[in-house]
Amino acid sequence: LIGVDIDGAPLLGLRNNGVKYTKNQDNGRELLYDVNTDPKEATDLVASQPEKLEAARRLLSVEIVAWKKRVGR
């Protein structure tokens, strides 16, 4: 759910049903991949798959709320 990119910028992200979504917390850049068909993550799907992007955003929001409840925030 939480990590850093190659430059050390904080990331939020998730994997679900073969989709990998990340959001850079410094610059807001989002990346979306279908790791089942693109395991090397060569093709970013943000522009071409808006419905998958929105679903990933919603799921990440749900996961963040659940995490905050688990850690008492």
Side-chain angles (χ1 to χ4, degrees):
L1 186 64
I2 301 172
V4 294
D5 72 5
I6 195 165
D7 297 319
L11 295 175
L12 293 177
L14 57 82
R15 284 180 182 239
N16 185 55
N17 294 325
V19 173
K20 178 181 174 184
Y21 168 73
T22 61
K23 182 173 182 179
N24 183 308
Q25 292 302 102
D26 282 349
N27 63 21
R29 181 173 182 206
E30 297 173 291
L31 298 171
L32 184 71
Y33 300 102
D34 182 334
V35 294
N36 290 330
T37 61
D38 182 18
K40 294 185 179 182
E41 300 174 11
T43 304
D44 179 15
L45 302 174
V46 165
S48 65
Q49 298 286 327
E51 67 287 343
K52 284 186 180 181
L53 175 61
E54 188 56 36
R57 285 175 177 157
R58 283 193 308 270
L59 182 56
L60 181 60
S61 294
V62 167
E63 291 297 324
I64 290 170
V65 168
W67 175 79
K68 286 181 177 181
K69 286 181 181 178
R70 284 194 304 271
V71 299
R73 290 187 178 194

